[in-house]
């Protein structure tokens, strides 16, 4: 049976999920985790992450099945459950998180190319920014040719980048040494690392970063060939990526000690494989990372445009963002997204710490959309919406949604006040587009409750702005 024009099969949806999640994060995972946690805390952190992210994956699966009329994922659940402003804020936050992550990917990509071509340095030289800009607009015009064509290329790059990861795991299994793995397992000999709970909390933003993209299939639900494929793709993609992440992280801790891993330059996976097999190992992982980042960039360009397009279609965003070109690609949303990426690429010329700052800020921006999705799933289960004659499924989904919501709240706590305030600074300006959309629909901008929510966001943004000016907050 042929796929209808513009519709995506299960394989393409799975590739979008896996391709979105496996970007640059997994290649830097050994150092990123070792920098803040010892083996014991890492294992505890992964256990929390596995449970929390699995429940989020099930939440997206449940919502796709129980609310088949809601297309666009993430933001639309916040809107349906908690009103227009929360729906808009989820779309806005998700969009900012996505394109900020893309800027980070470009920097890491050209930093990796610097292994072969020193002119690219750490990814923020003039040559690197020029190269990244050329690549950005190359991807831009590729996507303008059509979603299906771009999704097929993403499928190919997803397969290509998984191969070196599997090879790394196989080699690391034979190099793994239990005595290295169990040395100071709780970090008791390193008081500067803090308690086990502090170690776990500090590694949380890293674990969220490597899982961002889990909702990728739900974003494209309107373009899926079969609605049931959306939930399947989410769970299949999650399990695949979870296994790879845990194996890469845990096996590395049995190859090199925590202090050794913490000192590595990124992509640290390349250094670990070089430690085992020599220089060709670093070259292999670097090539894998380049392919991975190219695929992830394509996935996230698609997701960025799609979330704004979907939000504009139901008047959450201004109407101009809903316009498609002849190939059914949301062209205006794509132009706005990549214009913002271009601006921030130029900014990287003046900020050597931009990459890590972007990663943590991008992660914090997506926590609110995750929280509202889990809260909406919990609300449906409590009220019984979509659960007629399905009492057992309702009890199960109630438990899963409650766990997912608790996990989302824990993540906001783990991120800390700093990133909550910085997120408010980025959320606040979105009110301009929200007000424009409301005026186009000839509706009042805020309800009474939404007005109070916006005031809270505005206060947080003002504190963050003053904090950056005064120096008690930094990017």
């Amino acid at each position: 049976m042929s796929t209808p024009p513009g519709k995506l099969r299960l394989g393409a949806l799975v590739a979008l999920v896996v391709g979105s999640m496996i970007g640059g994060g997994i290649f830097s995972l050994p150092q990123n985790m070792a920098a803040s946690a010892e083996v014991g805390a890492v294992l505890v952190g992964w256990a929390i992450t596995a449970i929390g992210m699995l429940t989020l994956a099930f939440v997206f699966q449940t919502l796709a099945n129980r609310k088949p009329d809601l297309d666009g994922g993430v933001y639309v659940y916040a809107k349906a459950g908690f009103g227009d402003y929360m729906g808009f804020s989820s779309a806005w936050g998700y969009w900012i998180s996505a394109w900020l992550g893309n800027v980070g990917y470009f920097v890491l990509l050209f930093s990796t190319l610097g292994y072969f071509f020193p002119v690219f340095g750490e990814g923020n030289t003039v040559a690197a920014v020029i190269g990244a800009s050329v690549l950005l607009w190359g991807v831009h015009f590729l996507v303008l040719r059509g979603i299906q064509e771009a999704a097929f290329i993403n499928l190919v790059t997803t397969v290509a980048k998984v191969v070196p990861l599997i090879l790394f795991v196989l080699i690391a299994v034979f190099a793994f040494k239990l005595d290295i793995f169990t040395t100071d397992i709780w970090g008791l000999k390193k008081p500067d690392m803090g308690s086990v709970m502090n170690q776990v909390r500090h590694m949380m933003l890293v674990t969220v970063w490597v899982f961002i993209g889990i909702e990728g299939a739900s974003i494209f639900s309107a373009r899926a060939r079969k609605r049931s494929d959306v939930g399947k793709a989410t769970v299949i993609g999650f399990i695949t990526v979870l296994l790879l992440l845990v194996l890469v992280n845990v096996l590395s801790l049995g190859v090199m000690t925590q202090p050794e891993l913490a000192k590595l330059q990124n992509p640290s996976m390349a250094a670990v494989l070089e430690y085992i097999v020599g220089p060709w190992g670093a070259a292999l992982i670097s090539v894998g990372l380049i392919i991975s980042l190219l695929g992830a960039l394509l996935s996230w360009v698609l997701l960025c445009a799609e979330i704004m397009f979907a939000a504009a279609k139901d008047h959450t965003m201004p109407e101009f963002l809903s316009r498609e070109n002849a190939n059914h690609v949301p062209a205006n949303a794509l132009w706005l997204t990549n214009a913002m990426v271009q601006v921030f690429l130029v900014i990287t010329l003046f900020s050597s710490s931009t990459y890590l700052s972007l990663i943590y800020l991008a992660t914090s921006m997506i926590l609110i959309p995750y929280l509202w999705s889990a809260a909406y799933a919990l609300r449906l289960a409590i009220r019984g919406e979509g659960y007629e004659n399905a009492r057992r499924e309702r009890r199960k989904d109630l438990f899963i949604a409650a766990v997912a919501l608790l996990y989302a709240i824990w993540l906001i706590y783990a991120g800390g006040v700093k990133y909550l305030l910085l997120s408010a600074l980025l959320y606040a300006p979105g009110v301009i587009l929200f007000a424009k959309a409301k005026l186009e629909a000839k509706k009042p901008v805020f309800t009474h409750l939404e007005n109070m929510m916006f005031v809270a966001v505005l206060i947080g943004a003002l504190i963050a702005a003053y904090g950056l000016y005064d120096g008690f907050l930094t990017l």
Side-chain angles (χ1 to χ4, degrees):
M1 186 172 124
S2 62
T3 303
K7 295 296 182 180
L8 303 176
R9 290 179 175 271
L10 177 62
L13 290 169
V14 171
L16 279 167
V17 175
V18 175
S20 305
M21 284 194 279
I22 298 182
I26 191 170
F27 292 88
S28 301
L29 200 59
Q31 185 278 333
N32 289 169
M33 294 299 225
S36 57
E38 253 291 2
V39 172
V42 166
L43 294 175
V44 172
W46 277 120
I48 294 172
T49 300
I51 293 168
M53 279 295 176
L54 182 60
T55 57
L56 271 176
F58 282 138
V59 158
F60 289 119
Q61 183 182 41
T62 298
L63 291 174
N65 294 332
R66 299 291 172 190
K67 286 292 180 178
D69 54 314
L70 298 180
D71 287 319
V74 186
Y75 95 89
V76 79
Y77 302 137
K79 180 177 180 177
F82 307 101
D84 291 347
Y85 181 59
M86 291 319 300
F88 171 86
S89 295
S90 287
W92 178 254
Y94 189 92
W95 176 69
I96 291 177
S97 173
W99 63 254
L100 276 175
N102 264 0
V103 178
Y105 280 157
F106 276 115
V107 173
L108 183 57
L109 172 61
F110 280 86
S111 175
T112 306
L113 285 171
Y115 177 84
F116 304 102
F117 308 103
V119 69
F120 294 130
E122 294 299 313
N124 58 355
T125 64
V126 172
V129 170
I130 291 172
S133 300
V134 170
L135 180 57
L136 167 67
W137 295 106
V139 171
H140 174 87
F141 288 108
L142 171 65
V143 173
L144 283 177
R145 294 185 61 182
I147 295 291
Q148 259 196 316
E149 288 76 4
F152 172 74
I153 293 171
N154 177 64
L155 177 60
V156 173
T157 58
T158 298
V159 173
K161 69 188 176 185
V162 166
V163 171
L165 295 176
I166 293 173
L167 187 58
F168 174 89
V169 168
L170 292 174
I171 294 172
V173 164
F174 291 101
F176 184 88
K177 290 183 175 61
L178 190 60
D179 58 328
I180 293 176
F181 187 74
T182 55
T183 300
D184 194 21
I185 195 166
W186 298 108
L188 299 177
K189 298 176 182 177
K190 308 178 187 74
D192 56 309
M193 295 189 73
S195 67
V196 173
M197 185 52 67
N198 275 338
Q199 292 178 50
V200 172
R201 189 170 70 85
H202 292 151
M203 64 176 272
M204 278 293 114
L205 282 184
V206 178
T207 62
V208 178
W209 170 248
V210 294
F211 272 116
I212 290 177
I214 193 174
E215 68 296 318
S218 68
I219 302 295
F220 284 89
S221 54
R223 299 182 188 270
R225 183 173 64 96
K226 290 169 58 182
R227 183 75 192 192
S228 60
D229 286 347
V230 175
K232 291 177 186 175
T234 301
V235 175
I236 292 169
F238 167 78
I239 292 171
T240 301
V241 174
L242 175 64
L243 285 172
L244 281 171
L245 289 168
V246 172
L247 285 170
V248 165
N249 190 194
V250 171
L251 290 173
S252 296
L253 288 163
V255 173
M256 301 172 72
T257 64
Q258 178 269 330
E260 289 173 332
L261 289 170
K263 293 176 183 175
L264 295 178
Q265 289 188 333
N266 284 312
S268 51
M269 190 193 291
V272 174
L273 195 58
E274 183 175 26
Y275 179 84
I276 300 171
V277 300
W280 72 265
L284 172 70
I285 296 301
S286 295
V287 171
L289 174 56
I290 290 167
I291 294 172
S292 180
L293 286 170
L294 290 172
L297 281 166
L298 184 54
S299 294
W300 281 104
V301 167
L302 291 169
L303 287 168
C304 283
E306 192 70 15
I307 192 71
M308 295 296 268
F309 170 73
K313 288 285 283 185
D314 70 358
H315 310 294
T316 301
M317 290 283 178
E319 188 273 335
F320 79 93
L321 292 170
S322 68
R323 293 172 194 157
E324 295 180 289
N325 66 10
N327 296 318
H328 304 290
V329 175
N332 285 355
L334 193 67
W335 280 103
L336 178 62
T337 296
N338 289 335
M340 293 304 299
V341 173
Q342 182 65 75
V343 168
F344 271 71
L345 279 174
V346 173
I347 290 174
T348 64
L349 285 171
F350 310 102
S351 175
S352 59
S353 62
T354 298
Y355 171 64
L356 282 178
S357 300
L358 286 168
I359 296 314
Y360 287 120
L361 193 52
T363 302
S364 65
M365 288 298 292
I366 210 167
L367 297 183
I368 297 299
Y370 282 176
L371 182 144
W372 288 119
S373 294
Y376 182 55
L378 182 63
R379 180 175 176 173
L380 289 182
I382 290 172
R383 293 185 171 185
E385 287 183 47
Y387 288 93
E388 293 75 15
N389 303 317
R391 187 176 298 175
R392 181 178 295 178
E393 287 86 351
R394 180 183 173 186
R395 286 199 300 267
K396 180 194 71 175
D397 290 348
L398 180 66
F399 174 75
I400 288 171
V403 174
L405 182 59
L406 287 172
Y407 177 63
I409 293 169
W410 155 258
L411 289 176
I412 292 172
Y413 161 74
V417 174
K418 170 185 174 180
Y419 286 105
L420 196 60
L421 290 173
L422 290 174
S423 294
L425 186 60
L426 291 175
Y427 271 110
V431 72
I432 297 170
L433 288 181
F434 179 68
K436 180 172 171 56
K438 282 291 190 176
L439 291 173
E440 288 175 353
K442 298 180 179 178
K443 293 181 179 179
V445 176
F446 289 123
T447 64
H448 180 64
L449 181 60
E450 288 173 343
N451 191 56
M452 289 192 294
M453 289 179 175
F454 174 67
V455 169
V457 171
L458 187 59
I459 290 171
L462 291 173
I463 293 171
Y466 177 75
L468 290 173
Y469 169 77
D470 191 57
F472 69 80
L473 279 183
T474 58
L475 284 173

